[in-house]
Amino acid sequence: MIPAAFEYARAASIDEAAKLLDKYGEDAKVLAGGHSLIPLMRLRLAQPSALVDINGIKGLDYIKVEGSKVHVGALTRHVEIQNSDAIKDKLPILAEVAGEVGDNQVRNMGTIGGVVAHADAAGDYPTIALILDADIVTNKRSIPAKDFFKDLFTTPLAANEIVTEVVFPVADGPHKYIKFRRRLFDWAIVGAAAQKMNGGWRIGLTNVGPTPVRAKAVEEALHKGAKPEEASQHASDGLNPSGDLRASPEYKKHLARVLTRRAIEQSA
Ligand SMILES: Cc1cc2nc3c(=O)[nH]c(=O)nc-3n(C[C@H](O)[C@H](O)[C@H](O)COP(=O)(O)OP(=O)(O)OC[C@H]3O[C@@H](n4cnc5c(N)ncnc54)[C@H](O)[C@@H]3O)c2cc1C
C-alpha cells in the first residue's frame, strides 16, 4: 500500500531536527532506519503529517566505552552493534541480540534509537536495556530504562524529543539471549535474557506483556541458591500475556519458563 501524503525534511543536527519537529507539530515523526515506521505508514496504521529524517546527522552512530559505561549512539545500526569488537568485549549480550534482529536488510537499516523509541513489545533491545538498568538519553534528559517503557508503543518521549544515545553498564560476564520464533528472521514469540553481573543474575523477558519484563522472582530464587530448573519456574509469576496468532497466553507463559531455564543454563 501507499502511505498517506506527508511533508519531508532532512535535519543536519539534533537542534535542527528538534526545531523541525516543533515546526511540524505533534503529528510529525522522526525517521531513522524506517524499518518500523515505513511499514506502519504503508498500512496507514501511522499517518504522520511530516517526517524529520535524522539520517544526515553526523556523529550519531558510535559505540564508545568510557570507564564502566558503553555508549551507543541512536543511529547505530544493528549490524554495527552485531560486529563491534568493543560490544563483543564489554557488552556481548548486545552483540548477540543485534545478530538476532530480523534479517540482513533489517540489520543494515534499523537503529538502536529506533527500537527503543518505537517500544514494540517484541523489540529485543528494550529487554536488555531494562535488565541492565541502561539509560535512554535524549536531547532533553536521561531516562532510566525502567521508567522509559511505559506501555505498548508508549514512552515518556515528548513530540520534539529525540533519542541521542543508549548508555549501558559494562557487562562482560556469562550471558545468553534466546528468542523463540518460527522462522529465523521473525520477531520473538517470546524471548528470554540472562546476564550475570556483579555476582548476581539479571533475567528479562520479551513479548510476554506490553513492555519488557524483568523476572525478579527468578533472580531472587537464583540468589537464594535455587537451580536453574527450579528458579525458572518463577519466570511466569505475575505475567498476563495476551494471545496472538502465534501463541496463546498459556503457551507464552510456558515459553517464558522454558526459555529462562535455557538462557541461564546456556550462559557462557
Ligand atoms: C521484517 C522485519 C523484522 C524485524 N524483526 C525485528 C526483531 O526481530 N527484533 C527487533 O527488535 N526489531 C525487529 N524489527 C524492527 C527493526 O529493528 C526496526 O529497525 C526498529 O524497530 C525501528 O528502528 P528504525 O531505526 O528502523 O526506526 P524507524 O522505523 O525509523 O522509527 C520507529 C519509531 O521510532 C521513532 N524514532 C526513531 N528514531 C528515533 C530517535 N532517535 N528519537 C526519537 N524517536 C525515534 C520514529 O519516529 C518511529 O515512531 C523488524 C523489522 C522488520 C521490517
Side-chain angles (χ1 to χ4, degrees):
M1 277 183 61
I2 298 173
F6 58 90
E7 301 281 334
Y8 172 86
R10 194 169 166 89
S13 68
I14 292 288
D15 278 354
E16 189 186 359
K19 280 184 189 136
L20 286 164
L21 288 168
D22 279 335
K23 174 182 153 192
Y24 289 119
E26 290 249 315
D27 290 339
K29 286 259 174 212
V30 170
L31 174 67
H35 269 55
S36 287
L37 184 53
I38 302 293
L40 288 176
M41 289 172 66
R42 292 184 66 195
L43 293 169
R44 300 213 175 187
L45 293 171
Q47 298 195 16
S49 56
L51 292 187
V52 175
D53 187 343
I54 59 170
N55 286 279
I57 301 179
K58 293 208 168 30
L60 211 52
D61 57 337
Y62 55 82
I63 292 163
K64 284 189 283 200
V65 180
E66 287 175 0
S68 60
K69 301 284 182 190
V70 182
H71 299 250
V72 186
L75 267 185
T76 311
R77 316 274 166 188
H78 307 316
V79 68
E80 293 167 316
I81 295 171
Q82 178 186 358
N83 294 330
S84 158
D85 288 338
I87 296 282
K88 285 182 198 165
D89 190 31
K90 300 292 184 190
L91 192 55
I93 196 168
L94 203 68
E96 190 181 348
V97 166
E100 299 279 325
V101 173
D103 53 20
N104 280 341
Q105 223 174 336
V106 176
R107 291 196 289 275
N108 279 329
M109 285 305 293
T111 66
I112 190 167
V115 178
V116 295
H118 193 53
D120 191 313
D124 296 301
Y125 297 130
T127 306
I128 308 305
L130 180 72
I131 66 169
L132 296 187
D133 292 320
D135 291 308
I136 320 299
V137 181
T138 77
N139 54 330
K140 295 171 187 283
R141 56 190 163 148
S142 175
I143 308 166
K146 68 178 173 46
D147 301 328
F148 190 83
F149 302 104
K150 293 262 185 213
D151 205 341
L152 188 62
F153 302 123
T154 308
T155 70
L157 291 177
N160 61 355
E161 196 164 5
I162 300 158
V163 176
T164 54
E165 66 173 6
V166 184
V167 183
F168 295 88
V170 166
D172 51 7
H175 63 275
K176 186 72 191 168
Y177 185 66
I178 301 187
K179 257 171 103 159
F180 188 81
R181 54 198 164 172
R182 289 182 56 200
R183 298 171 303 175
L184 193 60
F185 48 86
D186 278 343
W187 297 77
I189 296 174
V190 170
Q195 173 76 57
K196 199 158 195 193
M197 64 187 284
N198 304 328
W201 283 97
R202 306 284 180 101
I203 309 292
L205 294 161
T206 302
N207 210 20
V208 289
T211 62
V213 168
R214 184 158 169 193
K216 290 223 169 160
V218 180
E219 293 177 5
E220 278 161 25
L222 289 167
H223 183 68
K224 288 181 187 155
K227 296 263 184 297
E229 63 266 29
E230 189 192 326
S232 60
Q233 292 309 306
H234 294 287
S236 55
D237 290 3
L239 293 186
N240 189 17
S242 51
D244 53 39
L245 284 175
R246 300 177 304 165
S248 66
E250 275 314 310
Y251 186 49
K252 284 191 179 182
K253 289 204 250 179
H254 168 76
L255 285 175
R257 294 188 291 268
V258 171
L259 298 180
T260 297
R261 175 173 55 74
R262 288 184 192 165
I264 301 164
E265 286 175 347
Q266 292 175 27
S267 289

